[in-house]
Amino acid sequence: VSKCLTNKENHRITKICLSNKSYDDDAAAVIAASLSEMENITHADLSDVIAGRPEEMALNVLSILSRSLKERRLLSLDLSDNAMGEKGILACKGLLENQRNSLESLSMCNNGLSGSAMELIKQIVIGETPQKSPLKKLHFFNNMSGNTGAKALADMLPLCSKLENLRFSSTRALFEGSLIFLESLAECPAVKNGQLTHLDLADNTFRTEGGLLLAKILIQQKGLVYLSLRDCSLEDSGCILLIESLKGMDRLEYLDLSANELTTKTAICLRNVLPSLTSLKVLAIEENDEIGSKGAIHISRGLEECNDSKLVRLSLNMCGIGERGGVCLAQSVNNLNSLNKLELNENKLSEDAIADIKEILESFGKCSVLGEMDENEFESEDEEGSEEETHETSSSEANEVQELASALVISCCSLHCFGSGLSKM
């Protein structure tokens, strides 16, 4: 490090990245000495810097590096992929406290943070006398903070008036904690002002109640670019109004609703919304095995109605799709000029059905977009009936979806959950 920095103009250095290297005490001391001469650092990446080190040494390394940056006015700090726990947070306490009025981006992913560690982070970041935070980006992923951690973050959100990019996923929060988190998010000033551009809440437990709160949140975020609600236990009843709230979001590029126990009813709703998502590049609905061919047909119809689609990847793995659904999806590719990946593995497609899909794609010059198909297990679709019967069933289901959506809106409005936006759906 010393050799690398020899004769460098340290005052010109504003960003440092120490990631993916495991340092011992001596190395940390050498680095700290160099960092002390870099007075204009505003962005620090300290992710994955203590891998495999004994606890005492790891904590000492974190402490040394943190002290060397303590007096800087950082705009972004990444402490991800360090097995920190409460002791690691305490080792970085001085650094975090001193950035309270400047830090715009904080990432603490895969840190082994418990609920009590999240409580400690809350106390450090917002202080004993809570004040507004300049944070625009806040990422917590793959920790073990559970309900206590969700509640701690919920206490921070009302102070994050500039928040734009939020990731709170895979934290082992159950329904109680997930709902408290969403209730606080709905009251966050940044959410009320429609400032969110990125929202990743994957692997939480929201159910119907959470889905309704999400609809309230999302309908205000007209500039949203990225949305992941994968594996959130939403089911149809939690997803229908949520999807309706996305209508007209012409900046949304990424949407993941995978693994939510969704059925044809959600697919019908998605069909009606897809044409309005004019910037959508990635649509993932995989691991919803009740979507079936009927649901796939509805999705394909929605895609066919898209004008100048930007879609690059469509993922429908593990959705219970048979031949008719697969063929319809393949036919819709003709309207998707930007598509380079169609994922239909682990469905119910026979070898003949796969051959038909490939033939259709080949006729469009798009055979290369089809992903791996080696784990399909053929099952008969006889129970789905003829095309005419399917049309009649779909019309009936569409009416059911509309009735369910209306009932949910009425229920929510009676509880003062929504403003005028959703009540007009």
Side-chain angles (χ1 to χ4, degrees):
V1 173
S2 296
K3 183 178 179 180
C4 177
L5 294 173
T6 300
N7 299 323
K8 298 291 183 182
E9 297 183 49
N10 291 333
H11 69 280
R12 292 181 177 273
I13 298 175
T14 59
K15 299 180 181 180
I16 60 157
C17 178
L18 303 178
S19 183
N20 296 320
K21 301 288 184 183
S22 183
Y23 305 102
D24 60 15
D25 303 50
D26 293 337
V30 172
I31 293 170
S34 298
L35 292 178
S36 65
E37 300 177 11
M38 303 177 194
E39 298 179 354
N40 294 316
I41 292 175
T42 55
H43 298 76
D45 184 351
L46 305 183
S47 62
D48 194 16
V49 295
I50 55 172
R53 297 297 179 182
E55 181 182 277
E56 184 177 354
M57 179 184 292
L59 293 173
N60 197 34
V61 168
L62 289 174
S63 181
I64 292 170
L65 295 177
S66 294
R67 286 199 303 270
S68 70
L69 295 169
K70 180 179 177 180
E71 301 305 322
R72 305 292 173 259
R73 287 183 59 82
L74 297 181
L75 297 178
S76 72
L77 175 62
D78 191 346
L79 292 168
S80 301
D81 300 311
N82 293 305
M84 300 178 72
E86 286 184 72
K87 293 179 180 179
I89 300 300
L90 289 171
C92 301
K93 181 179 179 181
L95 172 61
L96 289 166
E97 283 181 332
N98 273 29
Q99 312 309 317
R100 193 177 291 156
N101 297 318
S102 65
L103 200 62
E104 296 180 356
S105 173
L106 175 62
S107 296
M108 302 191 73
C109 303
N110 195 32
N111 288 128
L113 301 176
S114 63
S116 54
M118 284 294 292
E119 279 286 346
L120 184 57
I121 291 170
K122 178 189 77 173
Q123 294 168 15
I124 293 171
V125 172
I126 68 176
E128 293 182 3
T129 304
Q131 57 187 17
K132 288 185 178 180
S133 169
L135 281 167
K136 295 180 180 180
K137 176 181 176 181
L138 190 54
H139 281 201
F140 292 99
F141 161 73
N142 199 30
N143 289 299
M144 53 182 186
S145 51
N147 285 346
T148 302
K151 293 173 184 176
L153 183 56
D155 290 340
M156 295 170 60
L157 290 175
L159 301 171
C160 298
S161 59
K162 297 184 178 182
L163 194 63
E164 298 173 356
N165 185 329
L166 176 62
R167 186 181 193 187
F168 182 68
S169 57
S170 300
T171 61
R172 302 187 186 180
L174 303 177
F175 178 59
E176 178 191 359
S178 297
L179 204 59
I180 289 173
F181 165 80
L182 279 185
E183 289 170 346
S184 179
L185 181 61
E187 297 303 317
C188 174
V191 168
K192 288 186 172 182
N193 292 332
Q195 295 169 200
L196 293 184
T197 59
H198 292 71
L199 185 61
D200 182 351
L201 303 180
D203 195 14
N204 283 291
T205 308
F206 293 139
R207 301 179 187 167
T208 301
E209 295 91 333
L212 301 179
L213 275 169
L214 280 165
K216 173 186 177 181
I217 291 166
L218 292 170
I219 200 169
Q220 302 172 81
Q221 313 310 313
K222 298 305 181 184
L224 198 66
V225 175
Y226 182 104
L227 177 62
S228 177
L229 295 171
R230 186 186 189 97
D231 196 13
C232 287
S233 303
L234 287 166
E235 302 184 342
D236 289 331
S237 57
C239 219
I240 287 174
L241 281 188
L242 185 158
I243 291 175
E244 287 284 351
S245 72
L246 302 180
K247 187 175 289 185
M249 281 195 182
D250 56 7
R251 297 183 186 179
L252 189 65
E253 296 181 3
Y254 184 102
L255 177 60
D256 191 346
L257 296 172
S258 302
N260 274 300
E261 301 179 53
L262 307 179
T263 74
T264 303
K265 292 178 181 179
T266 294
I268 291 170
C269 188
L270 194 57
R271 170 184 180 169
N272 297 329
V273 172
L274 278 174
S276 71
L277 305 181
T278 53
S279 295
L280 195 64
K281 295 180 179 179
V282 176
L283 176 60
I285 325 173
E286 59 189 10
E287 297 183 48
N288 289 299
D289 59 11
E290 295 298 318
I291 291 283
S293 279
K294 288 192 290 184
I297 291 169
H298 282 293
I299 292 168
S300 68
R301 297 292 181 258
L303 293 172
E304 288 171 355
E305 294 169 15
C306 294
N307 295 319
D308 191 26
S309 171
K310 306 294 191 303
L311 198 67
V312 173
R313 179 165 71 88
L314 175 61
S315 181
L316 284 158
N317 296 322
M318 295 179 65
C319 282
I321 299 170
E323 180 174 2
R324 292 174 56 209
V327 165
C328 281
L329 287 168
Q331 291 170 337
S332 71
V333 170
N334 193 36
N335 191 48
L336 307 175
N337 295 328
S338 299
L339 194 76
N340 60 34
K341 183 63 70 175
L342 173 62
E343 298 175 342
L344 293 174
N345 211 2
E346 298 183 75
N347 280 296
K348 299 177 180 179
L349 297 164
S350 66
E351 291 184 5
D352 288 343
I354 293 172
D356 289 343
I357 290 169
K358 289 181 177 179
E359 184 177 347
I360 292 168
L361 294 175
E362 183 67 35
S363 70
F364 303 145
K366 286 274 193 176
C367 195
S368 62
V369 307
L370 191 62
E372 296 291 331
M373 299 288 281
D374 58 331
E375 295 187 33
N376 273 279
E377 295 183 4
F378 172 65
E379 291 184 24
S380 173
E381 290 188 290
D382 290 344
E383 71 277 5
E384 292 194 4
S386 65
E387 187 170 346
E388 292 78 10
E389 290 171 334
T390 299
H391 178 73
E392 291 177 5
T393 303
S394 296
S395 298
S396 174
E397 287 175 331
N399 291 332
E400 289 180 21
V401 169
Q402 187 58 50
E403 289 173 4
L404 176 58
S406 299
L408 289 169
V409 168
I410 292 170
S411 175
C412 292
C413 288
S414 68
L415 295 173
H416 306 289
C417 289
F418 299 108
S420 59
L422 277 176
S423 64
K424 295 178 181 178
M425 286 183 179

